[in-house]
Amino acid sequence: MLRTHTCGQLNISNLGETVTLCGWVQKSRDLGGTTFIDVRDRYGLTQLVLNTDTDAELREAGKQLGREFVIKVTGTVVERSNKNTKIPTGEVEIAVTELEILNAAKIPPFLIEDETDGGEELRAKYRYLDLRRNPIRNNLVLRHKMAQEIRRYLSDIDFIEVETPVLIKSTPEGARDFVVPSRMNPGEFYALPQSPQTFKQLLMVSGFDRYFQIVKCFRDEDLRADRQPEFTQIDCEMSFITQEDILNIFEGLTRHLFRTVKGLELGDFPRMQYADAMRLYGSDKPDTRFGMQFVELNDVVKGKGFSIFDNAELVVGINAKGCANYTRKQIDELTEWMKRPQIGATGLIYARHNEDGMLKSSVDKFYNEEELAKWSAAFETEKGDLILILAGETDKVRKQLNELRLEVGGRLGLRDKNKFAPLWVLDFPLLEWDEETERYHAMHHPFTSPKPEDIALLDTDPKNVRANAYDLVINGTEIGGGSIRIHDRELQSLMFKHLGFSKEEAQKQFGFLMDAFEYGAPPHGGIAFGFDRLASIFAGLDSIRDVIAFPKNNSGRDVMIDSPSTIADAQLNELKIKTTVSPA
């Protein structure tokens, strides 16, 4: 080794030792006859001291060092006169006797500091420099610890880690596939897996009753803060189990991670029906760190001549506690925020429960104080509370009110990143109607089992068929989701029929799985956690990018290596492919 110690290792117990350190120059300070240099590696930072009286030539060499130079130094550990208690090495420094520049460095395009002056795109272009910063490096260390604990927990309860193929068959369900041309089979394509779903089910047929994999998955979909075209799942499957078994085991995994990685003991994991989540929060992944549940008002406000309410399919609102002192300007600003195209509300009705006990609304023309008292009773308001109401189509207005609830909760400081509220959401709809294709699609995937008591509804009332499906939500983010699978060929064929597949299409796409079911498929089910999302919650981040070593931007580009990119004509010819790019 070029070094005897790391830059985060030395302390007062090493006084008098001769040591050698290697690392990057963080910064240099020239103070008259003495030069101080901070040298850094991934373990920490140590201060070096070069003194004119001791070795003038060496000090002159030290003055030539720039930020991010890679150096090797040898010297004696001495006690610092001005100790820095904020870092582990802050009681000592190295009196340098030898200095070697291993590699000079250009001036970096942004400060390699915890608080940097580099913008997101600039840091993405020089990601290898951004990774030197403590916050980003710490995120990857955190992710590593989580992966180790995941493997430890699952291995200890007899799960086997099995790798599944990355070059697979394209299927029509779910998001768009990334496809890969086959040189050896011209005109044919592999797809990159959106998940190992069919393979893990085949492993259950094979008798591997407890499987897991920390696995790369790929989806060609529009991106946002918690999406990347390639992402990582903690993928798990089990045989001979019930839904209750899966909830208990993976609640246990979640508790284990919080305990071992964050040192926190989680409280209860409440359970909520999908229908109740939509009714009370307008979301299948409600943030339950705070209340502010929806209150439906159709029976209270209709028939008073106010057409916006009278003509609405649903009138619903929230109680923003303590917000009656919001000014008209603040409420107007909130209304305009709700009218943004990405939310699409047409307006916002409000009522104040003032400190003097009076009730005043923005629609006093239609509702007197006696009527407003009914509003107050419905929302259980107290003095100082503010009622915020939306009206419109049921599904649309619930989604809009969910956005309003989260925004108000954020403004009131109720979405504390150091507070964790887990929740199981159960019994999702099996199917959802797609207006564009005018047919039902699987809400999760085509292999999800319907509730046995709802199977008869597939023919008569498909939208009300419930699935044996469950999601784990933490702080309003879906962390994991799964289901009990169909393991019977006849039921799987029925499911494909209701999804609009002909027998021939089903056989072509999924014949291998259907055939496997004829050789003794056990009852099975599983779950997949979004590892990137889980890591971002542990790190207290809104975006998953900073828990991924080399992420892509919102256009799906890696600006560091300039990917995706065109390929040479020779490669296209070898693949027997011609490309024609149509205008957008």
Side-chain angles (χ1 to χ4, degrees), residues 218-234:
F218 307 85
R219 291 179 189 170
D220 186 5
E221 57 188 353
D222 294 336
L223 305 182
R224 58 189 187 211
D226 62 349
R227 281 185 183 166
Q228 285 277 294
E230 53 181 314
F231 57 97
T232 305
Q233 283 186 353
I234 310 162

Side-chain angles (χ1 to χ4, degrees), residues 476-511:
T477 297
E478 178 196 335
I479 293 304
S483 65
I484 301 300
R485 323 301 187 190
I486 298 170
H487 67 281
D488 175 75
R489 182 185 176 112
E490 186 176 334
L491 181 56
Q492 187 66 73
S493 297
L494 181 64
M495 183 67 173
F496 285 142
K497 173 188 170 185
H498 284 284
L499 291 172
F501 288 87
S502 68
K503 285 185 178 180
E504 294 73 24
E505 287 171 332
Q507 184 64 31
K508 181 180 179 181
Q509 295 292 339
F510 303 109

Side-chain angles (χ1 to χ4, degrees), residues 34-174:
T34 306
T35 298
F36 293 99
I37 298 167
D38 291 339
V39 62
R40 177 200 76 234
D41 60 14
R42 82 171 173 95
Y43 302 95
L45 180 147
T46 298
Q47 179 170 284
L48 314 177
V49 58
L50 296 89
N51 193 288
T52 300
D53 296 336
T54 306
D55 191 330
E57 186 178 342
L58 186 64
R59 180 170 174 261
E60 284 302 312
K63 289 167 68 174
Q64 309 307 311
L65 300 178
R67 280 180 176 263
E68 302 307 309
F69 274 45
V70 185
I71 61 173
K72 174 184 174 184
V73 295
T74 298
T76 304
V77 181
V78 297
E79 188 169 2
R80 282 177 62 163
S81 55
N82 58 332
K83 294 180 172 61
N84 180 355
T85 57
K86 294 180 180 179
I87 59 174
T89 60
E91 290 186 289
V92 298
E93 60 191 8
I94 308 301
V96 178
T97 55
E98 297 177 36
L99 169 63
E100 179 183 352
I101 297 174
L102 299 176
N103 215 325
K106 292 167 62 175
I107 297 173
F110 53 86
L111 287 174
I112 313 296
E113 302 274 5
D114 289 3
E115 298 295 330
T116 183
D117 58 353
E120 189 171 338
E121 279 296 304
L122 182 64
R123 289 187 290 112
K125 181 175 176 60
Y126 296 95
R127 182 65 169 177
Y128 47 86
L129 296 180
D130 200 30
L131 287 168
R132 293 181 187 175
R133 297 196 305 118
N134 287 325
I136 309 300
R137 183 176 61 249
N138 291 343
N139 291 340
L140 296 186
V141 172
L142 172 72
R143 183 183 177 115
H144 163 74
K145 290 178 180 176
M146 293 176 69
Q148 296 297 98
E149 291 300 333
I150 289 162
R151 288 189 164 96
R152 180 174 293 114
Y153 175 88
L154 293 173
S155 297
D156 284 349
I157 53 174
D158 295 330
F159 278 78
I160 296 173
E161 186 167 9
V162 181
E163 295 180 57
T164 52
V166 174
L167 295 175
I168 66 166
K169 183 185 184 74
S170 183
T171 59
E173 291 294 313

Side-chain angles (χ1 to χ4, degrees), residues 3 22 26 41 97 121 164 209 212 225 227 252 277 307-308 320 330 355 357 370 484 490 518 528 540 556:
R3 61 191 178 188
C22 295
Q26 180 72 25
D41 60 14
T97 55
E121 279 296 304
T164 52
D209 64 326
F212 86 98
R227 281 185 183 166
S307 61
I308 290 176
Q330 284 176 294
E355 293 292 348
E370 183 180 341
I484 301 300
E490 186 176 334
E518 295 189 330

